[in-house]
Structure formats: C-alpha cells, structure tokens
Amino acid sequence: MNQHQQEATDNPYLLLTPGPLSTSRSVREAMMRDWCTWDRDYNELVQSVRQKLVKLATDQTEDYTTVLMQGSGTFCVEAVISSVIPADGKLLVLTNGAYGDRIVKMAQVHQIATAVVDYGEVSQTSVEPLIRILEEDTAITHVAVVHSETTTGMLNPIRGIGEIAKKYGKVYIVDAMSSFGGIELDVAELSIDYLISSANKCIQGVPGFGFVIARTAALTGCKGIARTLSLDLYDQWNTMEEENGKWRYTSPTHVVRAFDQALTELLAEGGVVKRYERYARNQEILSDGMERLGIRTLLPKEFQSPFITSFYYPESDAFSFQELYDRLKQAGFVIYPGKISQADTFRIGNIGEVYAEDMERLLVAIEENRFW
Ligand SMILES: *Cc1c(COP(=O)(O)O)cnc(C)c1O
C-alpha cells in the first residue's frame, strides 16, 4: 500500500476544513501509548513542547514563554481575555468576522470595558481609525485582533496594528489560531504580548488543547486578575514553571504527544517557510481552478490568506450547498459551509496533510459532480 492508499483506508475523506484537519498517520500513531500526568517523562515532554513553541514564535526566546491550556482554541482566547485585563482596564477589539466578534462577547461576559471597531466582513482591519481612537479614548489598555479571520479567509495586517499599539503603550493580543505555524512571524518583532493558537490548526496536531505565547514581563504582572479558576492563564503558567511541566488539572496527554510529533514533522518539512509555501500553493491551485469552473472567491487576492478560501455560490438556481457537500464527501472530500451574513458562500480549507495533488483531485471531483 502506498501512503495515499493507507490514508484512504484510515480515513474515508480528506478534511478541507479550518481544523480539526487531516493529520498524518504518524501523528495519530503517537497517541498509541498512555502517559502518567505527574511522571517526569511526561513533564519533560511538556517542557520540551513549550520550548519548541517559543522558538517557533520568536528569535528573542528569552523574552517569551508558553502556556498550554486544556480545551479548544476558544478556551485559550478566553483564558487570555479573562486573565490579562485588570478590573480598571479596557479592551479595544478590531473585528471583521465571527472570531473577532467572539472576543467582544467574551469581554462582555466577564464585564470588561470594551470598545469595538467593526470593519464589516470583507474589509481588512486597518490602522486608520486606530490612532484616532487611541488618542481619544485613553482608558484603553489592551488591543486585540484576529490574524487570519477564518470566517472569510481574510489575513489582517497585524504588523501595522502592533506598531501603533506599541507606540501608545497598549498590550497587544493576537488571535493567530489559524495562522501560527503556517506563516512566518516573530512575536517580538510584531510587538505582540499574547499570541494565541491551538494544536489542531497549522501545526497539524489533533484537537484537545491550545497555547499562548506570552511576553514573560507582561504575564508576570497578571497574578490575581483572572475572573475564572480553570482558565487562569497566570496560574496555569506559574504551575507549569514551578512544577516543571505540570498542568493544574488533567492534561490531554495523548494529544500533547501527538502535538510533539506534529512539531517534529513541521521541522522535517523544512519549517514554517516550507509549510507556508505548500499552503500557499494549495490555495493558489484551488482558487485558480475554481475560477476556471466559474466559481468566484469572496475576497480579492491581496486580502486572501493561504489557509481557507470563501467562494460565492455559483449563480444558478440548481445549486445547493448541501448537494455539493454530499457529493464531494462521497468523492472523499469534506468542505465547509460559509459563515457570513452578506452573501451566500461556502469555504474550502487547504491546511493539514493536504498537498497540491489533493487540490487537483478535488477540482476534478467538483467538475465531475457539477449539477448546476
Ligand atoms: C479555530 C479558530 C478559533 C478557535 O476555535 P475553536 O473551535 O474553539 O477551536 C479561534 N479563532 C480563529 C481565528 C480560529 O480559526
């Protein structure tokens, strides 16, 4: 059996979704042993994963640290939002999609003072009104933005926003859930204080935990701020530091082991640069091929991330997303519904164990199953 046949036997379809995504067989196999949570073997694995993540995030490793947190990515975002903004602080959220809106909702649940700039769904979060708002509303202490807004596939300009946040002395929070590991960035260079991502996106692990790359000097000042017990970012970090890789509560041991394997495979692929190239190529093949089939992308090329693409429904009364979904699933591909309110769209992800050949096969399947 070749690798492709083996994968097909393991999995009846390829996930072309924003994550969880298709993982390698070796990542899944890493979960085939049990680990004790307080044993040295496991704690050393946790510490090594934390160190690898900091290295992946910056060259200035001495200024940054990592906190791993149980749950899906949202739990990690909420851990940051509810643990780093003091009672008298105020959060400015720049949003252009559901994940930015979710940050606003979290702040409201925790009764954190919030200001919001909503750019709609198809414009980038721009630097323009940011300066004015920070000049006018001096109560703002923290600025949050989503890097790759998975709602549409939009890539936001986190560098420019970071420059202004830093100039005005604000703490800068970036939800890089669906981009970290898939595009080169350096948190120190981008003035990011907290970057959030999770196991099951561009690093290509399985779901079960997320992580926060934090500027150590910022995080050490957050003791006692948390509004929840289990999502207390400072306490989670402090326990991991003090007790050498111990999680406060039951940790997703198998998932961590799989994640470590996924990190090894990221390096083996040639690191983030090579992974980015593969993803960008996948995305290019996909959008060019769809255009040939008369299916247009929602976003212009200059806003488009290399991770997930939104497509308009074809202009035909015969088209039904459910029908396309069912047919493609039958053919071995799972695609994703749209998430925006302004237009009928669907999404196709191209991250995970997904290669140029898979994109070509998908395009053939779409052409063969064209019913509209
Ligand atoms: C996936 C994702 C999240 C987290 O979603 P979960 O379903 O909780 O894993 C947050 N932000 C963005 C931009 C995402 O793509």
Side-chain angles (χ1 to χ4, degrees), residues 271-283:
V272 176
V273 177
K274 289 290 168 196
R275 182 151 295 177
Y276 169 80
E277 282 172 15
R278 172 162 64 87
Y279 287 169
R281 180 92 188 99
N282 286 350
Q283 199 282 328

Side-chain angles (χ1 to χ4, degrees), residues 72-74 77 99 102 146 148-150 175 177-178 198 201:
S72 82
T74 301
V77 179
Y99 292 97
R102 191 177 290 175
V146 175
S148 169
E149 187 37 275
T150 312
D175 170 350
M177 203 70 64
S178 61
S198 77
K201 297 220 167 159

Side-chain angles (χ1 to χ4, degrees), residues 121 339-344:
E121 290 165 325
K339 201 173 179 159
I340 71 163
S341 51
Q342 290 173 356
D344 284 330

Side-chain angles (χ1 to χ4, degrees), residues 224-282:
I225 294 179
R227 292 153 179 88
T228 74
L229 175 70
S230 58
L231 295 177
D232 185 335
L233 191 73
Y234 175 88
D235 205 38
Q236 181 89 344
W237 171 73
N238 195 45
T239 303
M240 278 184 179
E241 287 289 300
E242 299 285 308
E243 300 188 43
N244 266 315
K246 187 177 176 297
W247 298 53
R248 288 178 306 159
Y249 312 117
T250 298
S251 82
T253 48
H254 302 71
V255 179
V256 172
R257 181 69 190 83
F259 186 71
D260 185 55
Q261 176 62 26
L263 283 170
T264 301
E265 292 177 17
L266 172 60
L267 293 186
E269 185 172 347
V272 176
V273 177
K274 289 290 168 196
R275 182 151 295 177
Y276 169 80
E277 282 172 15
R278 172 162 64 87
Y279 287 169
R281 180 92 188 99
N282 286 350

Side-chain angles (χ1 to χ4, degrees), residues 295 313-324 346 371-372:
I295 305 174
Y313 282 7
E315 282 166 32
S316 157
D317 291 338
F319 182 80
S320 131
F321 173 72
Q322 192 60 45
E323 174 83 21
L324 177 64
F346 63 92
F371 55 86
W372 59 90

